Amino acid sequence: MPTLRTVLSIPVSLALLFAPAASQDTAPAAATDTVLPRLVTDGRAPAAALLSRDAEGDGVRFRYSDAGHGIGRADHFRAGSITKTFIATVVLQLAAEHRLSLSDTVERHLPGLLRGRGADGRRITLRALLTHTSGLADFAETTRGTVPVTPLQAVRIALALPPARPGRYSYSNTDYVLLGLVVGQVTGHSYAAEAERRIIAPLGLTDTSFPGARRSLPAPHGRAYAADGSDVTRLDPRVAGAAGELVTTLADLDRFYAALLDGRLLPSRRLREMLDTRAAHGSYGMGLFPVRLPCGITVWGHNGRISGSYVRSAATTGGRHVLTFRVNTDAMADPDLEPALLAAEFCPRTW
């Protein structure tokens, strides 16, 4: 779930216990080389890694830091809510093809499904689902990301919870579970099949997949650890479904966000809609959210948290500079480290 609203300039200590290990890349040292090890030393992650691509700077850089639990450049991992950017892209493509409208109600595509505690599918639009302004409760508040559920079970759980205020931004995994159902209803194919056909295959994201019920990760992969240190590498992806099922790699996420933001996946009108945060009062667009950095640059992307994994992708408008970093746990002890790493990557002259 997005937690950043503004980004502060974070001072970084020069006394580090670990230095990032050298990678196969020959790019010069960057400001992020100072910050990345702090995800391990201060954030208490077993390991951290980043892959950045800058068309106007140092090219491709891979760096990692660890305390004995390494992350490889080609490792597969669970991307959690970054799945939402893929789902939103598919929905906006369908809108561009006039197969649905963002003004459509949920009732039009899923008749009778939303009837419950303060929820009425006749009043909730697809736009509200995309921008997290539907007012629907988050089913994950009950399942805690550990209980596999079907989409219909997730909706029923959400309807039993107190709703949020419709029209106000309130992040809810339920919104994107419903969008996954809408994609299936409109196309006759699963959201996973549509994302594969429309995004994964055309971009050559050969290491990205929607695993369904498959608990294991593709090779190669490292280990994933819960906040208490237990090994959670094996996980049933149905704990998240269309809200967070994706398995991918650092390179594939960089490629995806670069392509999305440079206009390869959506017509310009639809991309502008995706980046419009007015409905969510600046907090969220459609499957993307902005962060304004201390140097004045705004980056767009998403984060993903699922048991054993936290990942964050961010890119400049136009997609020429993109960063993805990850840790192999779902919790970082110091929340200031993420904005510090983003500022170090995209505002290097301030470091």
Side-chain angles (χ1 to χ4, degrees):
M1 170 179 174
T3 56
L4 301 177
R5 297 294 178 266
T6 59
V7 177
L8 303 177
S9 179
I10 309 296
V12 178
S13 169
L14 296 179
L16 299 174
L17 297 178
F18 296 91
S23 75
Q24 59 268 47
D25 294 327
T26 59
T32 50
D33 293 353
T34 303
V35 183
L36 184 70
R38 297 186 62 212
L39 300 182
V40 176
T41 58
D42 300 347
R44 297 199 290 273
L50 67 82
L51 185 68
S52 70
R53 297 174 182 270
D54 186 355
E56 299 173 354
D58 296 330
V60 178
R61 289 185 299 106
F62 171 71
R63 294 290 187 267
Y64 71 89
S65 182
D66 69 68
H69 302 79
I71 292 177
R73 176 170 177 164
D75 278 359
H76 296 79
F77 55 87
R78 304 186 195 282
S81 286
I82 278 181
T83 308
K84 292 180 175 68
T85 314
F86 283 73
I87 299 300
T89 302
V90 170
V91 172
L92 285 161
Q93 287 179 345
L94 291 170
E97 296 163 10
H98 306 290
R99 299 179 68 180
L100 56 77
S101 168
L102 302 188
S103 299
D104 288 348
T105 63
V106 175
E107 180 75 11
R108 175 169 181 175
H109 299 286
L110 305 170
L113 181 60
L114 285 187
R115 292 285 193 280
R117 198 171 178 180
D120 186 344
R122 295 168 295 185
R123 299 177 181 273
I124 297 173
T125 65
L126 303 188
R127 185 182 302 276
L129 297 180
L130 286 162
T131 58
H132 292 300
T133 57
S134 69
L136 292 169
D138 186 352
F139 76 91
E141 292 180 8
T142 295
T143 63
R144 301 296 180 187
T146 60
V147 180
V149 291
T150 68
L152 295 182
Q153 287 172 332
V155 172
R156 285 197 292 269
I157 290 169
L159 292 178
L161 296 171
R165 180 177 173 181
R168 180 173 294 179
Y169 172 75
S170 181
Y171 190 91
S172 175
N173 288 288
T174 310
D175 292 334
Y176 277 73
V177 167
L178 284 164
L179 288 168
L181 290 172
V182 169
V183 169
Q185 188 68 21
V186 170
T187 66
H189 305 109
S190 69
Y191 62 83
E194 286 297 310
E196 167 69 33
R197 182 175 72 85
R198 294 168 172 272
I199 301 172
I200 294 173
L203 293 182
L205 307 182
T206 55
D207 292 309
T208 297
S209 64
F210 287 79
R214 189 177 68 243
R215 295 169 59 89
S216 60
L217 287 168
H221 68 81
R223 311 306 298 176
Y225 301 93
D228 63 4
S230 59
D231 191 311
V232 290
T233 306
R234 288 180 60 83
L235 181 73
D236 191 327
R238 290 174 297 180
V239 300
E245 179 187 335
L246 198 73
V247 167
T248 188
T249 62
L250 294 169
D252 273 9
L253 286 184
D254 278 359
R255 190 176 300 119
F256 166 65
Y257 279 100
L260 176 62
L261 287 163
D262 78 4
R264 276 179 276 167
L265 293 174
L266 292 172
S268 57
R269 174 196 166 192
R270 296 301 176 178
L271 183 56
R272 287 195 300 271
E273 283 185 296
M274 195 178 208
L275 303 180
D276 187 343
T277 64
R278 287 176 294 179
H281 307 288
S283 297
Y284 202 85
M286 297 180 181
L288 290 170
F289 63 91
V291 172
R292 185 171 176 81
L293 300 175
C295 59
I297 291 174
T298 295
V299 293
W300 292 87
H302 214 288
N303 58 357
R305 189 189 309 275
I306 194 168
S307 186
S309 179
Y310 181 81
V311 57
R312 175 72 160 98
S313 289
T316 54
T317 304
R320 294 184 63 78
H321 189 177
V322 59
L323 165 75
T324 298
F325 79 85
R326 62 170 290 234
V327 294
N328 56 352
T329 184
D330 46 272
M332 282 192 295
D334 186 347
D336 290 335
L337 293 173
E338 181 174 325
L341 188 64
L342 294 180
E345 176 68 28
F346 294 100
C347 304
R349 293 183 181 178
T350 66
W351 290 80

